[in-house]
Amino acid sequence: MNRRTPKAFGAVNDRRGAMRLAFLRSPFPHSTPLSHRTVEKLQTVGATVDVNGCGLNSTPAALRRFMPQTIQRPETSIAASQAAPLAQLGAWQLVKLIGEGRLCRVYAARPIAHSPSRPTYALKVLKERWQEQPTAIEVMRREAIVGKKVSHPHVISVLSAHVGAPPYFLVMPLLEGASLDRRLAAGERTGIATALWIARQTAEALGALHAAGWMHADVKPANIFLSADGHATLLDLGFARQPTDSTSLVQRCVTGTMQYIAPEMITSALRPDIRSDIYSLGATLYEMLTGGPPFVADGLEQLATLHRAAEPRPLRLHAPQVPAKVARFVHQMLAKEPLRRPQTPQDVIDRLVDFEIETFDMR
């Protein structure tokens, strides 16, 4: 039995086989294409897969548990849809401020031509103080390029962009839910199976970026948005980079980000690549499983040193209920040397699918 055919996909007449079939019958909404490797795995347990149309046949709704899902649109209240707009920006009415970061504000918005319809778009607007700052403008332009080029259910879409002259803004779908970091900060525990599912969806997003020649370069809970049903969307593409980039796009604020950053991102010894994202996803998965990031320090310099030289505390010391093979894989994702990590997002997806099946009864 090779590495790609785990024991979990053996005979179906034992308890684990029955559990796999129950997993495959578990209803989850929205079907989208599966990878060829996942298709092969599902066919080993008798699933009907439409390999010609790069998707599933309509009947096995159970298999949707494996799939990236379509982005959920919010059901904005009638009161919100009838509220007076905050401002007008080009052809858009800004209805409500829904988020704010160091560089940008994000508004629920609607086209002026459709007023007073419900807001179904999000406008990410560069703050006025940065309107003349070249690196901030380049962040917006980079997100526009990547968000338009990469189309995937787990990657935020950029539908339109105004990045040639002030005011600089991006138009995106309006998502409903909350970022993973807010849920973790609120004390929500994801559970083992759900944590693996969120990580696998994020790995699907990284796979799409990787296939298009990009790495995200800022994977962290704050950039993973979860809908009420658990669908994950990877946000903030402005710091995405290509493997040939010699330096970071900007000297960005790394407070918070530093808890998830790969060692090679803060040293000149190695050039970052998609395996740097895999490290950051490993740090995020570690936090989902244990309740805290792999390293905690009093300052950024100490935190950087820990990422470069220290080993995280064994995951099962924090969360003994996590299966040993899952813990070992998370630590592999957190290896200091990129060559010791999974080499591609697909490698991560393959393993996480196996773990999702094996931990199905822990949901």
Side-chain angles (χ1 to χ4, degrees):
M1 187 174 293
N2 60 38
R3 184 175 68 85
R4 298 294 186 192
T5 310
K7 185 177 180 180
F9 283 91
V12 297
N13 59 352
D14 58 5
R15 177 178 177 276
R16 186 167 288 189
M19 183 172 63
R20 287 195 302 276
L21 294 179
F23 181 82
L24 294 175
R25 296 190 180 107
S26 175
F28 285 84
H30 312 300
S31 62
T32 51
L34 296 170
S35 72
H36 291 299
R37 292 180 181 175
T38 302
V39 166
E40 291 173 0
K41 287 186 176 183
L42 297 180
Q43 287 175 329
T44 66
V45 293
T48 304
V49 183
D50 175 15
V51 293
N52 296 320
C54 73
L56 294 176
N57 289 338
S58 58
T59 52
L63 303 180
R64 294 167 186 160
R65 179 68 168 86
F66 284 94
M67 305 178 206
Q69 304 168 339
T70 56
I71 294 176
Q72 302 297 303
R73 301 299 196 272
E75 291 296 329
T76 308
S77 68
I78 296 296
S81 67
Q82 294 176 346
L86 299 176
Q88 180 176 322
L89 191 63
W92 299 90
Q93 285 184 342
L94 308 183
V95 177
K96 182 181 179 181
L97 178 66
I98 57 175
E100 183 169 0
R102 180 167 176 256
L103 297 179
C104 299
R105 294 187 179 93
V106 182
Y107 297 89
R110 62 192 172 213
I112 292 175
H114 295 172
S115 180
S117 64
R118 298 173 183 267
T120 56
Y121 298 92
L123 257 65
K124 186 173 185 177
V125 184
L126 188 64
K127 291 181 179 179
E128 187 174 349
R129 62 177 292 197
W130 299 106
Q131 294 279 338
E132 304 297 328
Q133 220 286 335
T135 53
I137 296 169
E138 185 59 28
V139 168
M140 297 290 285
R141 290 174 176 166
R142 179 67 60 96
E143 183 156 18
I145 291 170
V146 180
K148 286 185 173 182
K149 182 176 182 179
V150 180
S151 177
H152 189 272
H154 293 300
V155 178
I156 188 65
S157 299
V158 174
L159 307 175
S160 180
H162 189 276
V163 292
Y168 300 95
F169 64 90
L170 309 174
V171 181
M172 302 174 175
L174 182 60
L175 305 181
E176 183 182 49
S179 61
L180 176 59
D181 71 323
R182 288 191 178 183
R183 295 193 175 187
L184 293 174
E188 295 185 29
R189 299 303 295 267
T190 58
I192 296 171
T194 302
L196 295 170
W197 181 34
I198 293 169
R200 191 260 300 164
Q201 293 179 79
T202 308
E204 294 272 8
L206 295 179
L209 289 169
H210 182 49
W214 295 91
M215 60 174 288
H216 186 275
D218 198 18
V219 177
K220 58 183 178 181
N223 286 340
I224 299 172
F225 194 90
L226 302 176
S227 69
D229 64 1
H231 173 80
T233 304
L234 187 60
L235 307 177
D236 284 352
L237 307 176
F239 299 112
R241 55 188 290 165
Q242 296 176 304
T244 54
D245 290 347
S246 58
T247 60
S248 298
L249 179 60
V250 295
Q251 295 298 319
R252 55 193 167 98
C253 176
V254 293
T255 303
T257 302
M258 204 63 164
Q259 291 182 325
Y260 312 95
I261 198 167
E264 60 272 18
M265 295 285 285
I266 47 180
T267 179
S268 60
L270 294 171
R271 188 186 298 273
D273 58 26
I274 194 64
R275 295 171 297 181
S276 307
D277 282 344
I278 289 173
Y279 181 99
S280 298
L281 180 57
T284 299
L285 180 55
Y286 185 103
E287 181 168 3
M288 284 194 284
L289 293 172
T290 67
F295 299 110
V296 178
D298 294 330
L300 295 181
E301 183 177 351
Q302 182 184 2
L303 196 54
T305 300
L306 292 174
H307 277 292
R308 288 196 302 265
E311 294 298 326
R313 191 180 185 200
L315 187 151
R316 279 165 53 87
L317 291 181
H318 295 288
Q321 73 278 11
V322 175
K325 62 174 64 176
V326 173
R328 285 195 297 271
F329 183 66
V330 175
H331 283 284
Q332 182 185 355
M333 294 174 72
L334 291 169
K336 303 301 180 190
E337 298 179 17
L339 283 173
R340 296 184 180 274
R341 299 173 203 154
Q343 296 298 288
T344 68
Q346 189 61 51
D347 292 337
V348 176
I349 294 165
D350 290 343
R351 295 295 301 277
L352 292 178
V353 167
D354 293 344
F355 295 149
E356 284 183 82
I357 294 174
E358 293 174 14
T359 61
F360 175 68
D361 57 355
M362 296 182 181
R363 288 197 307 175

